Amino acid sequence: MANLDKYREYHRLDDDEEDSMPAGEDDMLVHVPEGLKDSWHHITNLDNFFTRIYHFHQKNGFSCMMLSEFFELVQFLFVVIFTTFLFTCVDYDVLFANTFVNHTHFGSIERNKVTLPDAILPQDQCYQRIQKNGWIIFQLVMAAIFWLYRLVKVICNMLNYWEIRTFYIKALKIPTVELCNFTWQEVQQRLISIQREHQMCVHKKELTELDIYHRILRFKNYMVAMVNKSLLPIRFHLPGWGEVIFLTQGLKYNFELILFWGPGSLFQNKWNLHPKYKRAGNRLELAQHLSRTICLIGLANLLLSPLILIWQILYAFFSYAEIIKREPGSLGARRWSLFGRLYLRHFNELEHELQMRLNRGYKPASKYMNSFISPLLTVVAKNIAFFSGSVLAVLITLAVYDEDVLTVQHILTAITILGIVVTISRSFIPDEHMVWNPEQLLQCVLAHIHYMPDHWKGNANASETRNELAELFQYKAVFILEELLSPVITPLILIFCLRHKSLEIIDFFRNFSVEVVGVGDICSFAQLDVRKHGNPQWFSEGQTEASIYQQAENGKTELSLMHFAITNPQWQPPQESSIFIGHLKEKVQQDATNAPSAQLILSETPLAASLLSNASSAAPDDLLSSVLVHPILTASGLPSRDRHFVQPTSTATVAASILASFSTSQIPSRTQSHAAYSNRCPENVAYRSERTILEDRLAGPKSLFSYDPNTSVSSSDTRFQNASHSALLSEYANTEMSLHAIYMHEKHQQQSQLPRAVGMWQCPSALREHHVQPGASFSADQPPESLSGPSQLPLGGWAESEEEQTQSARKSSIPR
């Protein structure tokens, strides 16, 4: 790579209007005294401030947050005290009737039944048993220290969030009772407006949406980038099992402790890397230092593993035992794994945005995973359910006939176990009315998760595809098991696996960190700069200067840019981003000219009636269904409603037709220069989507996001209407992004000339840079050895057959 040596150095982005961030600032709010006491003219740690504002909004205000933290303290105290009581203060011989209890001294000779107080030891005897057990005393001391630490942290949070509450009321003009009626985008727009009045950030005159996201997601973007470049998590091979990806909450916590905020971490404060990590000269020494830090933290985890393991077991038992007894099938439910959440996350995507997107993909992903059945396992499960159910029915019948049956030893245990066996067995028996259509289900999954390997196209019915998706969408039972094993496995991974990646980690943070004046050091991928990190196979051809090493894998830069632009419609992207969005919009318009009109597509699909009749909450889902169903209907050769045969269409052209109908502005000619185009489109040129169409219909001429700092909050009825309106616009924005994901994956699949990958989780080119010997040189088309390894293939959608041109159809927008 000709530009590799230049990229190896840390970069700084200058701004004429900004000064550099002062070093060594405290983690506190700094206010102008006395007269301006209620104003926020200078906030030293905007990362913490914006993060607290975001958490305050997402957790529904001060009262809910403090009540939640209070009960967390009580819950921890309850688990410790109750567990100690069960181990030291209960006489189990009496409880299990192994020892006779004499009740004659109570004056009731007829009384022979053992009561609960009979099994509880006296207080003095309980204290003596605790004092004789040194292990219990050690655990209680450690638990007390941890609880006191949590108590201090809760008190600090209470003070900090009271300050945030004051800021919401006095600066943002949002009362606590109205907080639930405001979306995050509305709060964010008020923050941007407040910056002009209060100058919260003294290093910039105005804040942008991207500035706020950078500060909230500074460390999270690094984690997403390391997962994208296959640096994390650790992959290892188990004999007889294959490649395993292990990532738990405890392991993730240790990663963040080592890299971001712990002792010996790479960051000297919340926003700046240590200067020594920005230079390539001492990379080997820094790697050795990081390796020692990882080893020490791994040893600390190993020493604390018994205590952590005991806590994990107790917490899991108290949390899941009752649920398992009541709903044994809950362990067979699925959840998005921690690795899946990082792998599927866009750059600059907030937690609630990710959660909303994954929630939409939960049902289609569950249907797809449940569509795989084993005929042999089905036969076995049916017979086990029959035999277990027969015995269970007899026992229940006898218990109903005579309740004395329940006094028989272990009869309740037998009924409980048989009920669990029957429930688990039935979970392996498929629904007899289920239709086998994995390809269509997998398309529905892509519409929401936005990332998918190329080689899944045509292999949706393969067990390999199911196993790869299972790494992203795991059983709850697997999640619980991994968390229980985490205290034992985490130290081993840190000591024996992560230490050997120290040099790669050092090189990653130097190569992919950039200083934005007024913001600090951020991951360069979070800049959403297609020129530096774009992939030519993802609509960036001719616009990117990135080498293979610099490109984000799986089209994440391009998809993240589109997601951020759609989620924040008032964001004004830089020139390079505007050029990319405009180029993509031109492609959509070109493909839409050869596709049926959006109105015709919606009318030809069974789910279009509800959309055409009213703007119900199901309308966005109907749009996606129409895009996915229409190519199947046209490929079947069935006549349309007007009894004319329609030539087959592809998913990409159908998505393009719907997306083109969203746009209300005229696309400039392809012959225009990029500079001229960016001058004509200073605002966000992403599709304004149904929010453009619906605003006139639902909100009127006044913009939802308009805000006057001098105006108080409107009436509750108006706020409720605005909240409903915002929710509907959010649904359409998510639908618009889903359509873009489908379209971009389809077009990427067409353009991609790379051979299909054998497996999903193939590591890209090695991130470790080999030390270049003096005099060594590389040509522009021959990268150094350290960067010439096989790269992970970009994720894509499904390969389309050669598109046939349809007859020209009259274009019309979606009916209003």
Side-chain angles (χ1 to χ4, degrees), residues 613-632:
S613 60
N614 55 40
S616 64
S617 60
D621 292 334
D622 293 345
L623 280 173
L624 287 177
S625 301
S626 301
V627 171
L628 298 177
V629 170
H630 192 270
I632 299 177

Side-chain angles (χ1 to χ4, degrees), residues 596-612 619 622-627 630 641 654 657-658 661-662 690 812-815:
S597 66
Q599 185 176 11
L600 178 63
I601 292 172
L602 296 175
S603 64
E604 292 294 338
T605 54
L607 296 176
S610 62
L611 176 66
L612 297 177
D622 293 345
L623 280 173
L624 287 177
S625 301
S626 301
V627 171
H630 192 270
R641 281 189 170 186
V654 175
S657 179
I658 300 294
S661 68
F662 284 178
E690 286 300 314
S812 62
S813 61
I814 297 178

Side-chain angles (χ1 to χ4, degrees), residues 137-190:
I137 294 177
F138 174 74
Q139 288 182 316
L140 290 176
V141 171
M142 296 299 295
I145 294 174
F146 179 77
W147 189 85
L148 291 175
Y149 163 76
R150 287 285 303 147
L151 178 62
V152 173
K153 191 172 181 180
V154 167
I155 294 175
C156 293
N157 286 340
M158 182 176 64
L159 298 176
N160 289 327
Y161 281 107
W162 184 262
E163 185 81 21
I164 298 300
R165 177 183 178 274
T166 305
F167 179 80
Y168 263 87
I169 295 175
K170 295 187 176 180
L172 297 181
K173 302 294 190 299
I174 301 178
T176 302
V177 294
E178 295 289 341
L179 182 62
C180 60
N181 294 328
F182 284 81
T183 65
W184 169 248
Q185 276 69 29
E186 292 176 282
V187 175
Q188 184 174 252
Q189 289 303 316
R190 296 199 174 198

Side-chain angles (χ1 to χ4, degrees), residues 313-555:
I313 294 174
L314 292 175
Y315 187 80
F317 175 78
F318 289 126
S319 299
Y320 299 108
E322 189 274 335
I323 297 177
I324 294 173
K325 179 184 180 299
R326 178 166 42 88
E327 299 178 9
S330 61
L331 292 178
R334 291 185 176 270
R335 67 187 303 277
W336 296 103
S337 66
L338 187 57
F339 166 68
R341 296 178 70 87
L342 289 173
Y343 180 83
L344 299 175
R345 190 168 193 158
H346 294 296
F347 296 123
N348 297 318
E349 184 175 22
L350 292 172
E351 188 65 30
H352 77 281
E353 297 168 354
L354 173 68
Q355 188 63 45
M356 191 182 304
R357 183 161 59 88
L358 296 183
N359 287 345
R360 290 187 178 89
Y362 183 88
K363 285 187 177 180
S366 296
K367 289 181 180 180
Y368 172 77
M369 298 299 291
N370 294 335
S371 65
F372 285 82
I373 58 175
S374 171
L376 180 62
L377 186 59
T378 301
V379 174
V380 174
K382 285 182 178 180
N383 285 274
I384 292 177
F386 172 77
F387 295 125
S388 302
S390 300
V391 178
L392 179 62
V394 172
L395 293 179
I396 293 176
T397 303
L398 292 175
V400 172
Y401 177 75
D402 189 349
E403 62 182 9
D404 290 337
V405 174
L406 297 177
T407 62
V408 178
Q409 191 175 19
H410 300 312
I411 193 67
L412 287 177
T413 304
I415 292 176
T416 302
I417 293 177
L418 288 172
I420 293 175
V421 170
V422 170
T423 304
I424 294 177
S425 299
R426 286 178 178 173
S427 66
F428 291 99
I429 302 175
D431 184 5
E432 60 182 5
H433 304 293
M434 182 181 65
V435 178
W436 173 253
N437 193 2
E439 288 288 346
Q440 192 70 11
L441 289 174
L442 205 55
Q443 281 188 325
C444 293
V445 174
L446 171 65
H448 299 291
I449 68 175
H450 301 171
Y451 294 99
M452 193 168 287
D454 294 342
H455 64 274
W456 283 8
K457 169 58 181 175
N459 295 315
N461 59 344
S463 59
E464 292 80 6
T465 303
R466 179 185 183 275
N467 294 337
E468 290 168 359
L469 181 58
E471 293 179 339
L472 306 176
F473 196 55
Q474 63 182 178
Y475 282 115
K476 184 176 290 185
V478 175
F479 164 75
I480 296 174
L481 181 61
E482 287 183 349
E483 292 296 331
L484 291 177
L485 295 177
S486 179
V488 178
I489 299 179
T490 294
L492 302 179
I493 291 179
L494 295 177
I495 296 173
F496 298 106
C497 299
L498 187 63
R499 283 198 311 123
H500 303 298
K501 287 181 170 284
S502 298
L503 185 58
E504 297 178 40
I505 294 174
I506 295 298
D507 290 336
F508 176 88
F509 275 87
R510 186 184 69 258
N511 292 333
F512 297 115
S513 291
V514 59
E515 181 181 359
V516 179
V517 179
V519 177
D521 292 323
I522 64 171
C523 181
S524 58
F525 290 103
Q527 287 290 98
L528 306 178
D529 192 341
V530 175
R531 181 172 57 86
K532 292 183 178 179
H533 297 297
N535 191 322
Q537 296 295 327
W538 288 86
F539 297 90
S540 299
E541 187 174 5
Q543 304 178 43
T544 181
E545 302 172 359
S547 63
I548 296 178
Y549 175 65
Q550 299 167 12
Q551 294 172 3
E553 307 294 330
N554 315 324

Side-chain angles (χ1 to χ4, degrees), residues 181 183 186 690-700 702-705 717-733:
N181 294 328
T183 65
E186 292 176 282
E690 286 300 314
R691 69 184 69 198
T692 301
I693 298 176
L694 293 178
E695 270 190 10
D696 295 336
R697 194 164 77 181
L698 297 179
K702 187 175 181 179
S703 173
L704 176 68
F705 300 109
D717 292 340
T718 304
R719 287 305 320 162
F720 178 77
Q721 294 176 359
N722 287 345
S724 302
H725 174 75
S726 300
L728 184 58
L729 296 186
S730 176
E731 289 293 326
Y732 274 99

